[in-house]
Amino acid sequence: MSVVTNTTTIGAIDAPSRRNTELLLLAFAVAIPVFAYLNVGLAIDGEVPAGMLGYGVGLGLLAGIAHLLVRKFARYADPLLLPLATLLNGLGLVLIWRLDQSPRIQSMYKTFTPDAPKQLMYSAIGVAFFLLVLLFLKDHRVLQRYTYISMMVAIVLLLLPLVPGLGTDSFGAKIWINIAGFSVQPGEFAKIVLAVFFSGYLMVKRDALALASRRFMGLYLPRGRDLGPILTIWALSLVILVFENDLGTSLLFFGLFVIMLYVATERTSWIVMGLLMAVGGAVAVGSFAGHVQSRVAAWLDPFECLETAPPNTNMAWACDQMTQVHMSFGAGGTIGTGLGQGNSDLIRFAANSDFIFATVGEELGLAGAMAFILLYGLIIERGLRTALAARDPFGKLLACGLSGAFALQVFVVAGGVMGLIPLTGMTMPFLAYGGSSVIANWALIAILLRVSDTARRPAPAPAPNPDAEMTQVVRQ
């Protein structure tokens, strides 16, 4: 009885300490982007930018409100996740504002409107969504009840861009829908819903998938009735790739399922099978899908591709973008050219969304790019730590799935920009311009915080047993 009471007291003392740590880290997470904003203004105009105070106050208000609500509704949650997300979001706003100042980008549009104010608005909506998730999702285990509903919602979200009149085409990829004049990327929200579905499904089926299997050429294959949903997921990812020309979402979709299968069953054969199916599907679709072929050609040799590609085609645009990206990274070197002093705006189209990591590579160099990768790695590490600490199997799988989806997206975008894999149409979480991306990723952080709060919350002390106390008195 006394041991449990002491444990509870220690947990209560640790919670304010964690919150104070979070507050201190949040102060740095706001100060660093404000300092970067100042650097950009001095580099471009030679004077303190006029909007620096408003930007600092806006970012500080968002971070402060989020901290107060986390302290109230998830007081035991991981203290690093919110400051890391705030820092990345703040630096993303600075990079977008830096590209807004480019005369080259401004000359491309007859009526140029800066994207940084809109991104600040989207960030505010994302933080509001973050707080709503914490407010209404009292227990992450409630999501388990909606396992198959989540599957249906995810399928609808992924197929919405194919609806005539609703979906829009952007550089050959159909990944957007237009609602009341706003462009929405449903795939960003689908990754969260899919993680919920996979967690609920694998929690029930993991024993069947791990134990009831047949050995074939060194690989363990599940029974046919258990293999059906896996083949369905693979086929659906191919459908997305074929009809939407969206390599990124297909990789994220299928890769997320393979990762969670491996975590749930601890079978290495799932990784091998997943890689074989992913490569097979990509090769099959790439043999006839023009959009995928142009991306592969730009990946293999963008300079030769630029010379041979027909002008004003998707292939010519893709090759031109990749040549500029390569030159941006080359110009950045080890320490970069300095904020506001690069030429990554030559990428022009999607410079502040798909290719914003090229601006990081040029103006902050290899050191800055590695620092951003480290920040993303810390978010992933804290998510996996939350999965290890979770007390229920659904929470473990959910935290692992969300962390895996986040990691896959970072890898696919950074790998595509740096030439490791063919480029996809996805955006760097928190860093790139895009309302759907920043809102969805704030919701992802909120769910991780909820799982973390449940995992770290001290166990309640057991109720006193009157019969045991009476027995003790009689013995005395």
Side-chain angles (χ1 to χ4, degrees):
M1 177 70 179
S2 60
V3 173
V4 176
T5 303
N6 290 338
T7 303
T8 306
T9 305
I10 291 171
I13 293 173
D14 286 346
S17 176
R18 285 196 292 267
R19 299 283 66 82
N20 292 334
T21 301
E22 182 182 89
L23 184 60
L24 180 61
L25 292 173
L26 273 176
F28 281 105
V30 173
I32 292 172
V34 171
F35 181 71
Y37 194 101
L38 174 63
N39 270 270
V40 173
L42 292 174
I44 294 177
D45 300 321
E47 59 184 19
V48 177
M52 188 179 74
L53 179 61
Y55 167 71
V57 171
L59 185 62
L61 279 176
L62 291 179
I65 293 171
H67 169 73
L68 291 175
L69 270 292
V70 168
R71 188 166 188 170
K72 180 175 178 60
F73 295 106
R75 60 182 304 196
Y76 294 98
D78 192 304
L80 286 181
L81 284 173
L82 179 59
L84 287 169
T86 302
L87 178 57
L88 285 169
N89 199 165
L91 290 173
L93 287 167
V94 172
L95 293 172
I96 294 168
W97 178 73
R98 176 263 175 276
L99 292 169
D100 282 345
Q101 310 309 306
S102 166
R104 297 188 187 101
I105 293 180
Q106 292 176 12
S107 64
M108 287 171 45
Y109 304 95
K110 295 180 180 179
T111 56
F112 174 77
T113 55
D115 289 327
K118 291 185 286 185
Q119 185 70 1
L120 183 59
M121 180 189 69
Y122 295 143
S123 300
I125 296 173
V127 172
F129 205 66
F130 164 88
L131 298 176
L132 286 174
V133 171
L134 286 180
L135 181 61
F136 290 102
L137 185 63
K138 303 293 186 182
D139 190 338
H140 65 273
R141 288 167 291 190
V142 173
L143 297 174
Q144 186 181 346
R145 304 174 188 171
Y146 306 101
T147 296
Y148 291 99
I149 294 177
S150 300
M151 178 187 69
M152 299 304 299
V153 171
I155 291 174
V156 170
L157 287 173
L158 290 170
L159 297 181
L160 274 178
L162 297 178
V163 177
L166 188 62
T168 58
D169 191 305
S170 177
F171 295 101
K174 299 177 181 178
I175 58 177
W176 299 89
I177 60 174
N178 198 311
I179 301 177
F182 290 94
S183 294
V184 180
Q185 192 173 354
E188 290 286 348
F189 301 96
K191 68 184 180 186
I192 299 176
V193 183
L194 281 172
V196 174
F197 163 64
F198 291 153
S199 301
Y201 174 79
L202 292 174
M203 196 188 73
V204 176
K205 295 289 186 179
R206 60 179 179 176
D207 290 337
L209 292 169
L211 301 177
S213 56
R214 299 177 181 177
R215 188 177 178 86
F216 176 73
M217 295 181 64
L219 300 177
Y220 287 93
L221 301 179
R223 297 174 300 186
R225 62 186 180 186
D226 298 318
L227 192 61
I230 300 165
L231 295 177
T232 302
I233 296 295
W234 180 65
L236 184 57
S237 65
L238 286 183
V239 168
I240 296 170
L241 182 55
V242 170
F243 292 101
E244 297 183 7
N245 286 328
D246 185 12
L247 180 62
T249 302
S250 300
L251 288 174
L252 176 63
F253 184 18
F254 187 67
L256 172 61
F257 191 41
V258 172
I259 288 173
M260 296 187 69
L261 268 173
Y262 172 72
V263 171
T265 62
E266 299 181 6
R267 294 279 190 185
T268 309
S269 54
W270 285 116
I271 301 294
V272 178
M273 289 176 59
L275 289 174
L276 292 175
M277 294 173 75
V279 172
V283 170
V285 174
S287 62
F288 62 85
H291 179 69
V292 177
Q293 290 175 349
S294 65
R295 292 298 188 186
V296 172
W299 168 58
L300 292 174
D301 193 340
F303 295 94
E304 180 183 356
C305 167
L306 185 61
E307 295 177 357
T308 58
N312 298 323
T313 60
N314 283 335
M315 182 171 289
W317 293 331
C319 297
D320 178 63
Q321 286 174 322
M322 284 307 298
T323 56
Q324 297 297 337
V325 167
H326 281 289
M327 288 188 285
S328 293
F329 277 106
T334 303
I335 59 175
T337 59
L339 281 171
Q341 301 180 56
N343 293 294
S344 61
D345 51 352
L346 288 169
I347 301 172
R348 297 181 296 175
F349 296 105
N352 64 0
S353 54
D354 297 5
F355 298 97
I356 198 166
F357 201 62
T359 301
V360 175
E362 180 173 9
E363 299 192 354
L364 297 177
L366 176 63
M370 292 304 297
F372 274 92
I373 295 297
L374 178 61
L375 291 175
Y376 285 117
L378 284 172
I379 291 180
I380 296 162
E381 185 270 337
R382 302 311 292 186
L384 294 177
R385 184 183 290 268
T386 297
L388 291 173
R391 300 168 184 170
D392 61 294
F394 177 77
K396 289 180 181 294
L397 286 171
L398 181 60
C400 189
L402 294 174
S403 304
F406 193 87
L408 277 173
Q409 187 164 349
V410 171
F411 168 76
V412 167
V413 178
V417 173
M418 292 190 289
L420 183 62
I421 59 175
L423 190 71
T424 65
M426 301 181 72
T427 55
M428 204 71 166
F430 292 115
L431 204 62
Y433 173 74
S436 303
S437 177
V438 72
I439 294 171
N441 283 298
W442 272 114
L444 184 149
I445 295 295
I447 298 174
L448 282 178
L449 284 175
R450 174 54 65 206
V451 179
S452 174
D453 177 65
T454 305
R456 291 164 171 259
R457 187 177 295 275
N465 188 343
D467 294 335
E469 292 179 359
M470 182 62 69
T471 304
Q472 185 69 18
V473 171
V474 170
R475 287 178 179 177
Q476 291 177 353

